[in-house]
Amino acid sequence: MTTSTLTAVDRLLDAFRAGHGVPAALFAPGAVLDATVPGWRFSVEGPDAVARQYSGWFDLPCELEELERHPVEGGEVVTYLQSLVDQGVPYAAHHCHVLRFDAEGRIAGDLFFCGGRWDAARLAEMAAAQHAASVAARHA
């Protein structure tokens, strides 16, 4: 019989995917979210404040595509492309979390980067640019 224990990061990512709220219990007392979002940087402190901020951002079910997890000393770096549908419109966003853990494995800090939320028109524009670049590279 194999037993698997979900880490705080596993549970955080599951909460993001579900879009029904992020539990404060994932975060250590004094946890800090230091967020860089398009055109702004801010931070919130404390498990309730961090959970509330993430619950507001991840309030719809989503997929986490291109998910990569890299353990580092005392934490983990997580990147993904979030894709979701909001009122019938597809969106995507590219995120990076540099996470630190406390001794109990809770999230003590998250240095978070978001490239912005892209709608269907922007996604199509990026796909066309990617395609043009790959065609040009093949013919170079």
Side-chain angles (χ1 to χ4, degrees):
M1 178 174 161
T2 303
T3 303
S4 166
T5 303
L6 294 177
T7 67
V9 178
D10 294 322
R11 295 193 322 269
L12 179 68
L13 297 174
D14 286 347
F16 288 172
R17 287 181 188 103
H20 299 299
V22 174
L26 299 177
F27 303 99
V32 174
L33 167 62
D34 180 350
T36 301
V37 297
W40 200 254
R41 181 181 179 191
F42 71 97
S43 64
V44 295
E45 185 173 340
D48 292 330
V50 174
R52 189 171 34 258
Q53 183 64 56
Y54 274 130
S55 293
W57 283 339
F58 293 87
D59 62 343
L60 294 169
C62 69
E63 297 294 326
L64 302 180
E65 302 170 11
E66 303 174 16
L67 177 64
E68 292 188 23
R69 296 178 62 176
H70 305 279
V72 295
E73 187 174 336
E76 187 171 336
V77 176
V78 178
T79 63
Y80 53 82
L81 180 70
Q82 177 196 26
S83 63
L84 66 139
V85 176
D86 188 356
Q87 298 182 6
V89 178
Y91 289 91
H94 199 213
H95 295 163
C96 177
H97 301 262
V98 181
L99 300 162
R100 287 182 302 102
F101 306 133
D102 73 357
E104 285 79 43
R106 294 173 296 191
I107 298 168
D110 186 354
L111 181 59
F112 172 72
F113 300 91
C114 173
R117 190 171 173 189
W118 311 311
D119 64 14
R122 179 65 67 181
L123 291 168
E125 183 181 342
M126 288 189 287
Q130 176 90 17
H131 176 74
S134 107
V135 168
R138 283 194 308 265
H139 292 84

